[in-house]
Amino acid sequence: AVDLEADPQAGLGVDPPGHAGVLAQRRAQPPLERGCVLRLRQRLEDLRARTAQEAQQAELGTAIAEVDAILQTFAALLRLAEVNAGTLRAGFRPVDLSSLVRQVAEAYEPLGEDRDIVLETGIEERIELLGDAHLLQQLLANLLENALQHAGRGLTVALRLHQEPVCTVLEVADNGRGIPAADREKMLRPFERIDTGHGGSGLGLALAAAIARLHEADLQLLDNYPGLLCRVAFPTPRTPV
C-alpha cells in the first residue's frame, strides 16, 4: 500500500507552500543539529503566540518558514546520502508501479487545482518492477512538485507511465518555460539551481536522479517543445516480478 503523508517538516524535494513533502517519509536526523533547529522553531512559535501585533506575527511566520526549509534540507541531504550508499537495494520488493503512480497523481491533483494547472495522466495498467515503493513515491513526488512549481498558472503537467520493449518509462512533462539545454545536466547535481524566482533547496532533482540510479534507471531532462520533459527509463526485468 502507498503511504501518503503530509508533513511540512519532512519535505524532501521542491517544496510548494502548504504541500511540502506530501509523500515524504520521516527519517531521523542528527539529534544535535535537528534538536537545535526544532527548539528554535518552537521558540519562534511560542513568541508568535504571545505577540499581538500582526506585523510581528507575519515576520515570525516568515522566520518559521525559513526554519522549516532548513529542516527540509537536513532531511533531503540525509536521504540523498542514504540512497547513494546503495544499501537500500537489499530491501527491494515487487512494486505495483501503475497503482503507485495513480495514487501519487491523485494526491497531487489538489495542488494542481490550487495553481490552476491541469494534471493529465496516461497510466498503463499492470506494470510492476522490483524496487523500494517509498523511494519511488519520492522520485515521482519530486518530479511532480518541480513541474507544478515551475509550469506556471493555466498550463499543463502530464504524467505518463508505459511499457516499451526494453524498458518501463515514467514521464513528467510540462509546457512551461523549461530549462536551457546547457543547464539540464547540472540540475541533477545537489544544490544546482537556475534563477526562476521559486526558491527551493536545489536537492529535489538530485534526489530523484539518485533514486533512479539505485533502481538502475536513467533520469533525463529533455525538451518538451515547450517546457521540460523528465523521463525515467527503468530496465525491464528479465523474469517476471
Side-chain angles (χ1 to χ4, degrees):
V2 176
D3 179 18
L4 304 182
E5 176 184 349
D7 185 345
Q9 292 185 13
L12 300 182
V14 179
D15 300 304
H19 294 269
V22 173
L23 304 171
Q25 300 299 308
R26 281 194 183 276
R27 287 296 185 271
Q29 295 171 349
L32 178 61
E33 290 84 349
R34 186 173 188 271
C36 289
V37 178
L38 284 173
R39 285 194 295 273
L40 172 60
R41 189 186 193 282
Q42 187 59 54
R43 288 170 185 156
L44 291 171
E45 287 279 15
D46 293 343
L47 183 58
R48 183 169 64 172
R50 296 195 303 268
T51 300
Q53 296 184 14
E54 291 185 2
Q56 291 182 351
Q57 286 184 344
E59 290 181 3
L60 288 167
T62 300
I64 290 169
E66 291 174 352
V67 171
D68 285 343
I70 293 171
L71 288 168
Q72 291 161 9
T73 299
F74 280 169
L77 284 170
L78 286 168
R79 189 63 155 161
L80 184 60
E82 186 181 28
V83 171
N84 281 332
T87 55
L88 296 175
R89 192 176 288 115
F92 278 11
R93 298 289 184 272
V95 177
D96 183 345
L97 192 59
S98 298
S99 177
L100 183 150
V101 171
R102 186 177 301 104
Q103 292 185 54
V104 174
E106 290 172 357
Y108 275 87
E109 281 178 359
L111 177 56
E113 292 173 358
D114 289 347
R115 292 169 177 249
D116 193 27
I117 294 173
V118 177
L119 179 57
E120 297 180 345
T121 59
I123 303 170
E124 190 174 314
E125 297 294 336
R126 295 185 294 275
I127 293 180
E128 294 187 347
L129 56 74
L130 202 63
D132 183 309
H134 292 316
L135 288 177
L136 292 169
Q137 290 173 20
Q138 189 65 67
L139 184 157
L140 181 53
N142 285 15
L143 296 183
L144 276 175
E145 289 180 0
N146 184 73
L148 291 169
Q149 189 168 35
H150 295 287
R153 290 191 175 274
L155 298 180
T156 300
V157 171
L159 170 59
R160 298 184 289 264
L161 176 70
H162 64 275
Q163 190 76 56
E164 294 187 358
V166 296
C167 62
T168 296
V169 178
L170 174 66
E171 294 179 332
V172 175
D174 65 73
N175 57 351
R177 60 188 294 180
I179 297 176
D183 294 329
R184 290 175 197 154
E185 184 177 352
K186 74 176 184 179
M187 293 300 294
L188 299 178
R189 300 195 294 265
F191 299 113
E192 292 287 355
R193 293 182 293 179
I194 56 176
D195 185 12
T196 62
H198 292 285
S201 65
L203 292 169
L205 289 176
L207 181 55
I211 294 171
R213 288 193 301 271
L214 184 71
H215 290 81
E216 299 181 348
D218 182 33
L219 169 59
Q220 294 179 294
L221 305 184
L222 306 170
D223 202 326
N224 197 44
Y225 303 104
L228 180 68
L229 169 61
C230 299
R231 185 179 191 271
V232 186
F234 298 92
T236 299
R238 297 175 183 173
T239 58
V241 174

